[in-house]
Amino acid sequence: MKLNVDNSEQLMQVAIGDSLFDKLKHQVEKDFVLANIPLQIPEILDHSDFIALIREKVYYLMMEHFAEYLNLMYIIDIPESAFHNIEITDTVDVADQITLLILKREYKKVWYRNRYQ
């Protein structure tokens, strides 16, 4: 499976088009809980608010709890090679790029599970 998206908004449009947005929210929440990072996702939440929620949590973890951030990246299973493509500008932009990596990986998990189960 190859995702050709440039930002989180495009990825959300793919997830909505595949009717996997709710499953994606559930998977993200599940992996954050596994990393012992509570992420309260409201039931009624549109895709842009969902992206903002994850971006804010990633930013907070990077700035305040870096060990927990690294643990989250491990649990979500983002390959180390993906971090080599991140443009280091400021922390907000990096958090946005990390959010895209998280959403891509979580979407792949959901897509494969949906397709092969």
Side-chain angles (χ1 to χ4, degrees):
M1 169 191 196
K2 190 82 168 166
L3 277 175
N4 293 324
V5 294
D6 297 325
N7 59 47
S8 299
E9 287 289 332
Q10 290 177 354
L11 181 61
M12 288 298 103
Q13 294 304 321
V14 171
I16 291 168
D18 291 343
S19 300
L20 296 175
F21 179 64
D22 289 333
K23 291 181 181 181
L24 177 62
K25 286 193 309 187
H26 178 69
Q27 182 66 43
V28 168
E29 189 170 29
K30 181 176 118 180
D31 283 347
F32 270 74
V33 168
L34 284 174
N36 202 23
I37 300 168
L39 184 69
Q40 300 297 326
I41 301 176
E43 190 65 35
I44 302 171
L45 183 74
D46 72 344
H47 67 279
S48 57
D49 291 338
F50 178 61
I51 294 167
L53 178 70
I54 295 171
R55 184 183 314 120
E56 289 171 16
K57 186 60 95 169
V58 167
Y59 177 82
Y60 171 75
L61 290 171
M62 287 172 40
M63 297 302 290
E64 304 290 331
H65 300 283
F66 197 72
E68 287 86 352
Y69 161 78
L70 292 176
N71 187 42
L72 177 65
M73 297 300 105
Y74 176 77
I75 287 174
I76 292 175
D77 192 29
I78 296 178
E80 189 175 329
S81 62
F83 292 98
H84 296 293
N85 299 328
I86 292 178
E87 295 179 32
I88 300 174
T89 51
D90 68 350
T91 312
V92 175
D93 289 337
V94 172
D96 192 43
Q97 294 174 56
I98 297 297
T99 299
L100 177 59
L101 292 177
I102 290 170
L103 290 173
K104 275 184 175 180
R105 180 64 184 125
E106 298 289 30
Y107 179 76
K108 285 181 182 181
K109 290 177 186 179
V110 168
W111 186 86
Y112 279 116
R113 189 175 305 121
N114 188 61
R115 179 160 178 138
Y116 295 111
Q117 282 188 346

